[in-house]
Amino acid sequence: MLSYRHSYHAGNHADVLKHLVQVAILDYLLQKDKPLCYHDSHAGAGLYSLGSEQAQKTAEYQQGIGRLWQYQAKSAALASYLNLINSLNPDNNLAFYPGSPKIAAMLLRPQDTIQATELHPSDFPILQSQFARRRYSRIEHLDAWAGFKAMLPPLVKRGLVLIDPPYELKTEYSDVVAGLAEAYRRFPQATYAIWYPVIERPAIEAFINAIVATGIKNQLRIEFCPQPDKAGFGMSGSGMLVINSPYTLAASMREALAELAPMLAGSDHQGSNLWQVSQLVGE
Ligand SMILES: C[S@@+](CC[C@H](N)C(=O)[O-])C[C@H]1O[C@@H](n2cnc3c(N)ncnc32)[C@H](O)[C@@H]1O
């Protein structure tokens, strides 16, 4: 059942979008002195070698971070994300790509808490070893949805919850809707960022409608598709649904995506409708 390994996909266009949004939210939350809690429900291994057999086999990163990492960005959000990638690769060689918990660890202060759950028997110990010496961290070999019940709310009542399942099972879409409702009930002050793949357009619209139907307020949709929608093609793009988004996020993502999208667009894309940032539910 757990066949997904993120090492095959690290640094692809979907990671670029997801981590651009993650960094922008954390940068915003870090403007206040008060400690925060970052909770990562599907954390992965934390750090990926782009020279590994898995990364080289798909070479997906070459169409993602590989096209971008040395670019001098004008948008502040894109520059902040690229600075982070560059700080991991100081030798003018793109050797490593950080996963979402590593990104949090690189940005957060010692007083902030990092919580993560990961089920894969090989990826979990790799992840856990990176946090062994960090004081405020709780890394569990636990199902994401059980983790919400066991670990939320945290002691600190502000933060970000990232929900990033592999969506290998059809049931994961309804699991996300139910899991979000449970997590939000426990920790309504948090910002939530839910990643989703765009594979079959009608199915993804139904998923988004189900999130809207939870009745949770303040929902923002950020989507980037480097390929045009084409049934049977596979993943044309991906999106992030952000709940309780920082008020600056929509504008900063419009600016970043206008700059980034043309650089990652596939050759068969017409150039329009590459991305969208839309408020689905008001505050
Ligand atoms: C897309 S990857 C995560 C990538 C990571 N969030 C990042 O951005 O670097 C999804 C991860 O979820 C894990 N996973 C799958 N089902 C899970 C579950 N029910 N609970 C916790 N982790 C799960 C997989 O093993 C995989 O490592």
PDB file of all heavy atoms in Angstrom, residues 2 4 6 15 18-19 40-44 48 99-101 117-120 123 142-145 162 164-166 172, ligand 1:
ATOM      1  N   LEU A   2       1.938   1.250   0.803  1.00  0.00           N
ATOM      2  CA  LEU A   2       2.786   2.446   0.845  1.00  0.00           C
ATOM      3  C   LEU A   2       3.860   2.367  -0.224  1.00  0.00           C
ATOM      4  O   LEU A   2       5.043   2.219   0.074  1.00  0.00           O
ATOM      5  CB  LEU A   2       3.415   2.595   2.223  1.00  0.00           C
ATOM      6  CG  LEU A   2       2.528   3.188   3.309  1.00  0.00           C
ATOM      7  CD1 LEU A   2       3.183   3.057   4.668  1.00  0.00           C
ATOM      8  CD2 LEU A   2       2.204   4.637   3.025  1.00  0.00           C
ATOM      9  N   TYR A   4       4.426   4.750  -2.545  1.00  0.00           N
ATOM     10  CA  TYR A   4       4.908   6.081  -2.945  1.00  0.00           C
ATOM     11  C   TYR A   4       6.203   6.430  -2.208  1.00  0.00           C
ATOM     12  O   TYR A   4       6.291   6.306  -0.994  1.00  0.00           O
ATOM     13  CB  TYR A   4       3.835   7.129  -2.621  1.00  0.00           C
ATOM     14  CG  TYR A   4       4.232   8.519  -3.035  1.00  0.00           C
ATOM     15  CD1 TYR A   4       3.868   9.019  -4.271  1.00  0.00           C
ATOM     16  CD2 TYR A   4       5.002   9.323  -2.191  1.00  0.00           C
ATOM     17  CE1 TYR A   4       4.253  10.303  -4.662  1.00  0.00           C
ATOM     18  CE2 TYR A   4       5.392  10.593  -2.569  1.00  0.00           C
ATOM     19  CZ  TYR A   4       5.001  11.078  -3.805  1.00  0.00           C
ATOM     20  OH  TYR A   4       5.390  12.336  -4.191  1.00  0.00           O
ATOM     21  N   HIS A   6       8.775   9.781  -2.096  1.00  0.00           N
ATOM     22  CA  HIS A   6       8.894  11.145  -2.629  1.00  0.00           C
ATOM     23  C   HIS A   6      10.250  11.390  -3.298  1.00  0.00           C
ATOM     24  O   HIS A   6      10.396  12.339  -4.074  1.00  0.00           O
ATOM     25  CB  HIS A   6       8.637  12.171  -1.517  1.00  0.00           C
ATOM     26  CG  HIS A   6       8.329  13.525  -2.064  1.00  0.00           C
ATOM     27  ND1 HIS A   6       7.209  13.790  -2.823  1.00  0.00           N
ATOM     28  CD2 HIS A   6       9.025  14.692  -2.014  1.00  0.00           C
ATOM     29  CE1 HIS A   6       7.226  15.058  -3.207  1.00  0.00           C
ATOM     30  NE2 HIS A   6       8.315  15.624  -2.730  1.00  0.00           N
ATOM     31  N   ASP A  15       6.414  20.257  -6.284  1.00  0.00           N
ATOM     32  CA  ASP A  15       7.162  20.639  -5.081  1.00  0.00           C
ATOM     33  C   ASP A  15       7.470  22.139  -5.103  1.00  0.00           C
ATOM     34  O   ASP A  15       7.438  22.810  -4.065  1.00  0.00           O
ATOM     35  CB  ASP A  15       8.492  19.866  -4.995  1.00  0.00           C
ATOM     36  CG  ASP A  15       8.397  18.657  -4.062  1.00  0.00           C
ATOM     37  OD1 ASP A  15       7.286  18.319  -3.620  1.00  0.00           O
ATOM     38  OD2 ASP A  15       9.456  18.054  -3.784  1.00  0.00           O
ATOM     39  N   LYS A  18       4.280  23.893  -4.049  1.00  0.00           N
ATOM     40  CA  LYS A  18       3.962  23.601  -2.647  1.00  0.00           C
ATOM     41  C   LYS A  18       4.911  24.342  -1.699  1.00  0.00           C
ATOM     42  O   LYS A  18       4.500  24.982  -0.740  1.00  0.00           O
ATOM     43  CB  LYS A  18       4.099  22.085  -2.441  1.00  0.00           C
ATOM     44  CG  LYS A  18       3.763  21.559  -1.081  1.00  0.00           C
ATOM     45  CD  LYS A  18       4.442  20.211  -0.809  1.00  0.00           C
ATOM     46  CE  LYS A  18       4.345  19.243  -1.955  1.00  0.00           C
ATOM     47  NZ  LYS A  18       5.197  18.027  -1.763  1.00  0.00           N
ATOM     48  N   HIS A  19       6.197  24.259  -2.004  1.00  0.00           N
ATOM     49  CA  HIS A  19       7.188  24.825  -1.079  1.00  0.00           C
ATOM     50  C   HIS A  19       7.288  26.345  -1.201  1.00  0.00           C
ATOM     51  O   HIS A  19       7.625  27.026  -0.231  1.00  0.00           O
ATOM     52  CB  HIS A  19       8.533  24.112  -1.290  1.00  0.00           C
ATOM     53  CG  HIS A  19       8.446  22.639  -0.972  1.00  0.00           C
ATOM     54  ND1 HIS A  19       9.172  21.673  -1.632  1.00  0.00           N
ATOM     55  CD2 HIS A  19       7.673  21.962  -0.066  1.00  0.00           C
ATOM     56  CE1 HIS A  19       8.857  20.476  -1.139  1.00  0.00           C
ATOM     57  NE2 HIS A  19       7.953  20.628  -0.204  1.00  0.00           N
ATOM     58  N   ASP A  40       3.260  18.717  10.090  1.00  0.00           N
ATOM     59  CA  ASP A  40       3.367  18.159   8.734  1.00  0.00           C
ATOM     60  C   ASP A  40       2.767  16.754   8.777  1.00  0.00           C
ATOM     61  O   ASP A  40       3.336  15.837   9.381  1.00  0.00           O
ATOM     62  CB  ASP A  40       4.865  18.106   8.360  1.00  0.00           C
ATOM     63  CG  ASP A  40       5.097  18.032   6.874  1.00  0.00           C
ATOM     64  OD1 ASP A  40       4.321  17.352   6.193  1.00  0.00           O
ATOM     65  OD2 ASP A  40       6.082  18.650   6.408  1.00  0.00           O
ATOM     66  N   SER A  41       1.595  16.562   8.143  1.00  0.00           N
ATOM     67  CA  SER A  41       0.865  15.290   8.300  1.00  0.00           C
ATOM     68  C   SER A  41       1.448  14.148   7.458  1.00  0.00           C
ATOM     69  O   SER A  41       1.313  12.988   7.821  1.00  0.00           O
ATOM     70  CB  SER A  41      -0.613  15.479   7.936  1.00  0.00           C
ATOM     71  OG  SER A  41      -0.746  15.798   6.576  1.00  0.00           O
ATOM     72  N   HIS A  42       2.059  14.480   6.331  1.00  0.00           N
ATOM     73  CA  HIS A  42       2.651  13.469   5.420  1.00  0.00           C
ATOM     74  C   HIS A  42       4.049  13.980   5.092  1.00  0.00           C
ATOM     75  O   HIS A  42       4.272  14.619   4.053  1.00  0.00           O
ATOM     76  CB  HIS A  42       1.825  13.328   4.145  1.00  0.00           C
ATOM     77  CG  HIS A  42       0.417  12.865   4.364  1.00  0.00           C
ATOM     78  ND1 HIS A  42      -0.556  13.676   4.890  1.00  0.00           N
ATOM     79  CD2 HIS A  42      -0.180  11.664   4.121  1.00  0.00           C
ATOM     80  CE1 HIS A  42      -1.699  12.995   4.966  1.00  0.00           C
ATOM     81  NE2 HIS A  42      -1.491  11.772   4.508  1.00  0.00           N
ATOM     82  N   ALA A  43       4.988  13.716   5.994  1.00  0.00           N
ATOM     83  CA  ALA A  43       6.225  14.500   5.992  1.00  0.00           C
ATOM     84  C   ALA A  43       7.272  14.036   4.984  1.00  0.00           C
ATOM     85  O   ALA A  43       8.130  14.809   4.573  1.00  0.00           O
ATOM     86  CB  ALA A  43       6.824  14.487   7.399  1.00  0.00           C
ATOM     87  N   GLY A  44       7.251  12.763   4.588  1.00  0.00           N
ATOM     88  CA  GLY A  44       8.304  12.270   3.695  1.00  0.00           C
ATOM     89  C   GLY A  44       9.617  12.094   4.440  1.00  0.00           C
ATOM     90  O   GLY A  44       9.660  12.031   5.678  1.00  0.00           O
ATOM     91  N   TYR A  48      16.421  15.246   0.247  1.00  0.00           N
ATOM     92  CA  TYR A  48      16.550  14.361  -0.922  1.00  0.00           C
ATOM     93  C   TYR A  48      17.834  14.688  -1.681  1.00  0.00           C
ATOM     94  O   TYR A  48      18.119  15.862  -1.962  1.00  0.00           O
ATOM     95  CB  TYR A  48      15.335  14.532  -1.844  1.00  0.00           C
ATOM     96  CG  TYR A  48      14.056  14.247  -1.103  1.00  0.00           C
ATOM     97  CD1 TYR A  48      13.330  15.280  -0.500  1.00  0.00           C
ATOM     98  CD2 TYR A  48      13.612  12.942  -0.935  1.00  0.00           C
ATOM     99  CE1 TYR A  48      12.182  15.008   0.235  1.00  0.00           C
ATOM    100  CE2 TYR A  48      12.468  12.658  -0.200  1.00  0.00           C
ATOM    101  CZ  TYR A  48      11.762  13.698   0.377  1.00  0.00           C
ATOM    102  OH  TYR A  48      10.636  13.418   1.112  1.00  0.00           O
ATOM    103  N   GLY A  99      12.760  18.609   1.689  1.00  0.00           N
ATOM    104  CA  GLY A  99      11.343  18.297   1.830  1.00  0.00           C
ATOM    105  C   GLY A  99      10.692  19.303   2.776  1.00  0.00           C
ATOM    106  O   GLY A  99      11.371  20.124   3.411  1.00  0.00           O
ATOM    107  N   SER A 100       9.377  19.208   2.893  1.00  0.00           N
ATOM    108  CA  SER A 100       8.649  20.217   3.680  1.00  0.00           C
ATOM    109  C   SER A 100       9.098  20.299   5.148  1.00  0.00           C
ATOM    110  O   SER A 100       9.226  21.411   5.676  1.00  0.00           O
ATOM    111  CB  SER A 100       7.146  19.992   3.562  1.00  0.00           C
ATOM    112  OG  SER A 100       6.806  18.643   3.815  1.00  0.00           O
ATOM    113  N   PRO A 101       9.372  19.177   5.850  1.00  0.00           N
ATOM    114  CA  PRO A 101       9.806  19.337   7.248  1.00  0.00           C
ATOM    115  C   PRO A 101      11.198  19.964   7.361  1.00  0.00           C
ATOM    116  O   PRO A 101      11.487  20.701   8.312  1.00  0.00           O
ATOM    117  CB  PRO A 101       9.804  17.904   7.802  1.00  0.00           C
ATOM    118  CG  PRO A 101       9.755  17.004   6.631  1.00  0.00           C
ATOM    119  CD  PRO A 101       9.203  17.764   5.480  1.00  0.00           C
ATOM    120  N   THR A 117       4.176  13.571  11.036  1.00  0.00           N
ATOM    121  CA  THR A 117       3.851  12.149  10.987  1.00  0.00           C
ATOM    122  C   THR A 117       4.231  11.620   9.609  1.00  0.00           C
ATOM    123  O   THR A 117       4.091  12.315   8.597  1.00  0.00           O
ATOM    124  CB  THR A 117       2.346  11.894  11.257  1.00  0.00           C
ATOM    125  OG1 THR A 117       1.555  12.751  10.425  1.00  0.00           O
ATOM    126  CG2 THR A 117       1.993  12.153  12.694  1.00  0.00           C
ATOM    127  N   GLU A 118       4.752  10.398   9.580  1.00  0.00           N
ATOM    128  CA  GLU A 118       5.141   9.741   8.327  1.00  0.00           C
ATOM    129  C   GLU A 118       5.020   8.235   8.554  1.00  0.00           C
ATOM    130  O   GLU A 118       5.514   7.713   9.546  1.00  0.00           O
ATOM    131  CB  GLU A 118       6.580  10.140   7.947  1.00  0.00           C
ATOM    132  CG  GLU A 118       7.195   9.339   6.815  1.00  0.00           C
ATOM    133  CD  GLU A 118       6.388   9.337   5.518  1.00  0.00           C
ATOM    134  OE1 GLU A 118       5.981  10.399   5.045  1.00  0.00           O
ATOM    135  OE2 GLU A 118       6.157   8.232   4.982  1.00  0.00           O
ATOM    136  N   LEU A 119       4.385   7.570   7.614  1.00  0.00           N
ATOM    137  CA  LEU A 119       4.112   6.135   7.795  1.00  0.00           C
ATOM    138  C   LEU A 119       5.138   5.216   7.147  1.00  0.00           C
ATOM    139  O   LEU A 119       5.259   4.059   7.535  1.00  0.00           O
ATOM    140  CB  LEU A 119       2.734   5.798   7.182  1.00  0.00           C
ATOM    141  CG  LEU A 119       1.536   5.683   8.096  1.00  0.00           C
ATOM    142  CD1 LEU A 119       0.361   5.088   7.331  1.00  0.00           C
ATOM    143  CD2 LEU A 119       1.827   4.820   9.324  1.00  0.00           C
ATOM    144  N   HIS A 120       5.859   5.696   6.130  1.00  0.00           N
ATOM    145  CA  HIS A 120       6.698   4.764   5.370  1.00  0.00           C
ATOM    146  C   HIS A 120       7.838   4.209   6.239  1.00  0.00           C
ATOM    147  O   HIS A 120       8.572   4.978   6.864  1.00  0.00           O
ATOM    148  CB  HIS A 120       7.281   5.445   4.130  1.00  0.00           C
ATOM    149  CG  HIS A 120       7.742   4.457   3.115  1.00  0.00           C
ATOM    150  ND1 HIS A 120       8.912   3.740   3.250  1.00  0.00           N
ATOM    151  CD2 HIS A 120       7.173   4.023   1.972  1.00  0.00           C
ATOM    152  CE1 HIS A 120       9.041   2.927   2.225  1.00  0.00           C
ATOM    153  NE2 HIS A 120       8.003   3.073   1.426  1.00  0.00           N
ATOM    154  N   ASP A 123      11.283   5.722   4.993  1.00  0.00           N
ATOM    155  CA  ASP A 123      11.438   7.180   5.058  1.00  0.00           C
ATOM    156  C   ASP A 123      11.369   7.705   6.498  1.00  0.00           C
ATOM    157  O   ASP A 123      12.020   8.698   6.830  1.00  0.00           O
ATOM    158  CB  ASP A 123      10.375   7.886   4.201  1.00  0.00           C
ATOM    159  CG  ASP A 123      10.723   7.817   2.713  1.00  0.00           C
ATOM    160  OD1 ASP A 123      11.877   7.457   2.397  1.00  0.00           O
ATOM    161  OD2 ASP A 123       9.862   8.114   1.874  1.00  0.00           O
ATOM    162  N   LEU A 142       3.383   7.462  12.440  1.00  0.00           N
ATOM    163  CA  LEU A 142       1.953   7.398  12.738  1.00  0.00           C
ATOM    164  C   LEU A 142       1.167   7.778  11.497  1.00  0.00           C
ATOM    165  O   LEU A 142       1.630   8.590  10.676  1.00  0.00           O
ATOM    166  CB  LEU A 142       1.704   8.439  13.852  1.00  0.00           C
ATOM    167  CG  LEU A 142       0.488   8.349  14.735  1.00  0.00           C
ATOM    168  CD1 LEU A 142       0.499   7.043  15.533  1.00  0.00           C
ATOM    169  CD2 LEU A 142       0.488   9.545  15.710  1.00  0.00           C
ATOM    170  N   ASP A 143      -0.021   7.217  11.389  1.00  0.00           N
ATOM    171  CA  ASP A 143      -0.946   7.611  10.335  1.00  0.00           C
ATOM    172  C   ASP A 143      -1.318   9.094  10.509  1.00  0.00           C
ATOM    173  O   ASP A 143      -1.571   9.545  11.639  1.00  0.00           O
ATOM    174  CB  ASP A 143      -2.190   6.722  10.446  1.00  0.00           C
ATOM    175  CG  ASP A 143      -3.305   7.188   9.554  1.00  0.00           C
ATOM    176  OD1 ASP A 143      -3.156   7.092   8.327  1.00  0.00           O
ATOM    177  OD2 ASP A 143      -4.326   7.674  10.079  1.00  0.00           O
ATOM    178  N   ALA A 144      -1.379   9.801   9.388  1.00  0.00           N
ATOM    179  CA  ALA A 144      -1.633  11.251   9.438  1.00  0.00           C
ATOM    180  C   ALA A 144      -2.902  11.591  10.211  1.00  0.00           C
ATOM    181  O   ALA A 144      -2.928  12.532  11.014  1.00  0.00           O
ATOM    182  CB  ALA A 144      -1.768  11.781   8.010  1.00  0.00           C
ATOM    183  N   TRP A 145      -3.948  10.807   9.945  1.00  0.00           N
ATOM    184  CA  TRP A 145      -5.263  11.171  10.516  1.00  0.00           C
ATOM    185  C   TRP A 145      -5.298  10.820  12.011  1.00  0.00           C
ATOM    186  O   TRP A 145      -5.913  11.547  12.801  1.00  0.00           O
ATOM    187  CB  TRP A 145      -6.377  10.486   9.733  1.00  0.00           C
ATOM    188  CG  TRP A 145      -6.104  10.510   8.250  1.00  0.00           C
ATOM    189  CD1 TRP A 145      -5.963   9.440   7.419  1.00  0.00           C
ATOM    190  CD2 TRP A 145      -5.890  11.671   7.413  1.00  0.00           C
ATOM    191  NE1 TRP A 145      -5.676   9.846   6.137  1.00  0.00           N
ATOM    192  CE2 TRP A 145      -5.619  11.208   6.103  1.00  0.00           C
ATOM    193  CE3 TRP A 145      -5.879  13.052   7.636  1.00  0.00           C
ATOM    194  CZ2 TRP A 145      -5.354  12.054   5.028  1.00  0.00           C
ATOM    195  CZ3 TRP A 145      -5.611  13.915   6.575  1.00  0.00           C
ATOM    196  CH2 TRP A 145      -5.369  13.418   5.299  1.00  0.00           C
ATOM    197  N   LEU A 162       0.462  21.448   7.296  1.00  0.00           N
ATOM    198  CA  LEU A 162       0.596  21.078   5.881  1.00  0.00           C
ATOM    199  C   LEU A 162       0.036  19.674   5.693  1.00  0.00           C
ATOM    200  O   LEU A 162       0.422  18.747   6.421  1.00  0.00           O
ATOM    201  CB  LEU A 162       2.070  21.112   5.457  1.00  0.00           C
ATOM    202  CG  LEU A 162       2.323  20.720   3.989  1.00  0.00           C
ATOM    203  CD1 LEU A 162       1.845  21.801   3.036  1.00  0.00           C
ATOM    204  CD2 LEU A 162       3.799  20.442   3.734  1.00  0.00           C
ATOM    205  N   ASP A 164      -0.297  16.819   2.860  1.00  0.00           N
ATOM    206  CA  ASP A 164       0.310  16.544   1.544  1.00  0.00           C
ATOM    207  C   ASP A 164       0.354  15.040   1.261  1.00  0.00           C
ATOM    208  O   ASP A 164       1.430  14.439   1.152  1.00  0.00           O
ATOM    209  CB  ASP A 164       1.737  17.149   1.561  1.00  0.00           C
ATOM    210  CG  ASP A 164       2.468  16.950   0.251  1.00  0.00           C
ATOM    211  OD1 ASP A 164       1.804  16.773  -0.788  1.00  0.00           O
ATOM    212  OD2 ASP A 164       3.721  16.986   0.268  1.00  0.00           O
ATOM    213  N   PRO A 165      -0.826  14.405   1.126  1.00  0.00           N
ATOM    214  CA  PRO A 165      -0.825  12.949   0.874  1.00  0.00           C
ATOM    215  C   PRO A 165      -0.400  12.616  -0.548  1.00  0.00           C
ATOM    216  O   PRO A 165      -0.428  13.487  -1.423  1.00  0.00           O
ATOM    217  CB  PRO A 165      -2.307  12.557   1.056  1.00  0.00           C
ATOM    218  CG  PRO A 165      -3.068  13.799   1.308  1.00  0.00           C
ATOM    219  CD  PRO A 165      -2.172  14.970   1.137  1.00  0.00           C
ATOM    220  N   PRO A 166      -0.047  11.353  -0.788  1.00  0.00           N
ATOM    221  CA  PRO A 166       0.332  10.970  -2.155  1.00  0.00           C
ATOM    222  C   PRO A 166      -0.857  10.794  -3.104  1.00  0.00           C
ATOM    223  O   PRO A 166      -0.672  10.749  -4.300  1.00  0.00           O
ATOM    224  CB  PRO A 166       1.060   9.639  -1.967  1.00  0.00           C
ATOM    225  CG  PRO A 166       0.696   9.146  -0.615  1.00  0.00           C
ATOM    226  CD  PRO A 166       0.261  10.316   0.204  1.00  0.00           C
ATOM    227  N   GLU A 172      -8.181   8.752  -0.461  1.00  0.00           N
ATOM    228  CA  GLU A 172      -7.420   9.828   0.184  1.00  0.00           C
ATOM    229  C   GLU A 172      -8.092  11.193   0.022  1.00  0.00           C
ATOM    230  O   GLU A 172      -7.901  12.078   0.849  1.00  0.00           O
ATOM    231  CB  GLU A 172      -5.978   9.859  -0.335  1.00  0.00           C
ATOM    232  CG  GLU A 172      -5.108   8.825   0.371  1.00  0.00           C
ATOM    233  CD  GLU A 172      -3.699   8.751  -0.170  1.00  0.00           C
ATOM    234  OE1 GLU A 172      -3.529   8.412  -1.367  1.00  0.00           O
ATOM    235  OE2 GLU A 172      -2.771   9.021   0.589  1.00  0.00           O
TER     236      GLU A 172
HETATM  237  C1  LIG B   1       3.947  13.641  -1.179  1.00  0.00           C
HETATM  238  S1  LIG B   1       4.869  12.796   0.015  1.00  0.00           S
HETATM  239  C2  LIG B   1       5.265  14.013   1.186  1.00  0.00           C
HETATM  240  C3  LIG B   1       6.241  15.058   0.747  1.00  0.00           C
HETATM  241  C4  LIG B   1       6.567  16.096   1.766  1.00  0.00           C
HETATM  242  N1  LIG B   1       5.368  16.648   2.386  1.00  0.00           N
HETATM  243  C5  LIG B   1       7.363  17.207   1.139  1.00  0.00           C
HETATM  244  O1  LIG B   1       6.770  18.174   0.646  1.00  0.00           O
HETATM  245  O2  LIG B   1       8.585  17.123   1.150  1.00  0.00           O
HETATM  246  C6  LIG B   1       3.643  11.885   0.866  1.00  0.00           C
HETATM  247  C7  LIG B   1       4.161  11.083   2.039  1.00  0.00           C
HETATM  248  O3  LIG B   1       3.045  10.609   2.790  1.00  0.00           O
HETATM  249  C8  LIG B   1       3.372   9.328   3.331  1.00  0.00           C
HETATM  250  N2  LIG B   1       2.093   8.712   3.693  1.00  0.00           N
HETATM  251  C9  LIG B   1       1.212   8.062   2.904  1.00  0.00           C
HETATM  252  N3  LIG B   1       0.099   7.743   3.586  1.00  0.00           N
HETATM  253  C10 LIG B   1       0.272   8.218   4.851  1.00  0.00           C
HETATM  254  C11 LIG B   1      -0.544   8.253   6.024  1.00  0.00           C
HETATM  255  N4  LIG B   1      -1.768   7.716   6.039  1.00  0.00           N
HETATM  256  N5  LIG B   1      -0.049   8.832   7.114  1.00  0.00           N
HETATM  257  C12 LIG B   1       1.189   9.392   7.123  1.00  0.00           C
HETATM  258  N6  LIG B   1       2.007   9.407   6.052  1.00  0.00           N
HETATM  259  C13 LIG B   1       1.553   8.834   4.923  1.00  0.00           C
HETATM  260  C14 LIG B   1       4.155   8.665   2.228  1.00  0.00           C
HETATM  261  O4  LIG B   1       4.975   7.640   2.752  1.00  0.00           O
HETATM  262  C15 LIG B   1       4.959   9.853   1.662  1.00  0.00           C
HETATM  263  O5  LIG B   1       6.225   9.929   2.253  1.00  0.00           O
END
